[in-house]
């Protein structure tokens, strides 16, 4: 495999929307060979193409040249929605970075990860993760569902 010996990336987060002081360190992207989507392997291919200097998310010019400049949020959102549409996500027009985070929390919870593990990965507080899960539980674990089935 072309990724043999590749263990993924540790990404320094710095300041983010959910970590205004930049105290939560880094995230690990692990390669998943054989899966339909592996963010670490996609990132590796992108970095092989653009190099390791400059912005990670960059504009691609109309002639196909990769710009050293970053893209604006509205462009990033358009890329996210385009990917959601191609993946046949229902209501892809309404996908946001926030909805992606909520979806990740829900799926991780369904797979059995603890609220603390999820909070660490998403840079959320445990209480925020609990709110996302409480919202999920209201629908998925609602006792009224069994009453009428």
């Amino acid at each position: 495999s072309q990724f043999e010996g590749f263990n993924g990336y540790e990404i320094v987060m710095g300041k983010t929307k959910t970590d205004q002081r930049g105290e939560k360190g880094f995230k690990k992207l692990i390669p998943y060979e054989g899966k339909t989507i592996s963010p670490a392997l996609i990132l590796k291919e992108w970095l092989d193409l653009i190099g390791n200097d400059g912005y990670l998310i960059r504009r691609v010019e109309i002639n196909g040249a990769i710009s050293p400049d970053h893209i604006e949020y509205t462009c990033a959102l358009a890329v996210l929605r385009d990917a959601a549409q191609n993946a046949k996500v229902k209501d892809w027009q309404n996908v946001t970075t926030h909805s992606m985070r909520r979806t990740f929390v829900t799926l991780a919870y369904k797979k059995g990860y603890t609220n603390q593990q999820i909070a660490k990965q998403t840079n959320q507080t445990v209480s925020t993760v609990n709110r996302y899960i409480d919202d999920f539980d209201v629908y998925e674990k609602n006792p009224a569902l069994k009453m009428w089935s």
Side-chain angles (χ1 to χ4, degrees):
S1 157
Q2 72 185 84
F3 301 111
E4 194 166 322
F6 172 63
N7 295 318
Y9 293 102
E10 290 181 357
I11 300 175
V12 177
M13 297 303 292
K15 291 181 183 180
T16 66
K17 179 181 170 190
T18 57
D19 182 15
Q20 296 290 315
R21 289 183 253 162
E23 297 173 338
K24 295 189 179 170
F26 64 92
K27 297 292 169 237
K28 179 79 172 170
L29 279 181
I30 303 166
Y32 298 102
E33 283 198 76
K35 299 284 184 182
T36 305
I37 297 174
S38 175
L41 296 179
I42 293 167
L43 178 58
K44 181 178 185 339
E45 290 176 358
W46 177 244
L47 290 175
D48 288 347
L49 180 67
I50 66 168
N52 290 329
D53 295 329
Y55 291 104
L56 178 63
I57 310 296
R58 301 180 190 184
R59 283 196 334 243
V60 177
E61 305 296 346
I62 199 162
N63 65 0
I66 299 170
S67 167
D69 300 326
H70 68 86
I71 62 174
E72 300 298 327
Y73 175 76
T74 54
C75 294
L77 191 56
V79 169
L80 178 64
R81 288 180 176 160
D82 187 53
Q85 183 182 20
N86 288 334
K88 302 191 182 338
V89 171
K90 275 192 314 185
D91 297 325
W92 60 266
Q93 306 93 320
N94 298 317
V95 169
T96 64
T97 55
H98 179 73
S99 62
M100 298 296 287
R101 183 170 38 254
R102 283 187 74 103
T103 299
F104 175 85
V105 168
T106 302
L107 293 175
Y109 174 72
K110 282 181 162 182
K111 293 244 182 214
Y113 289 95
T114 68
N115 296 10
Q116 290 79 12
Q117 290 170 313
I118 297 168
K120 185 174 181 180
Q121 182 64 28
T122 59
N123 278 350
Q124 302 292 318
T125 63
V126 172
S127 64
T128 298
V129 169
N130 289 341
R131 273 198 323 268
Y132 291 169
I133 291 169
D134 286 346
D135 290 348
F136 161 72
D137 280 347
V138 166
Y139 297 102
E140 293 287 320
K141 295 184 178 180
N142 189 322
L145 292 173
K146 292 182 180 178
M147 292 175 59
W148 311 114
S149 58

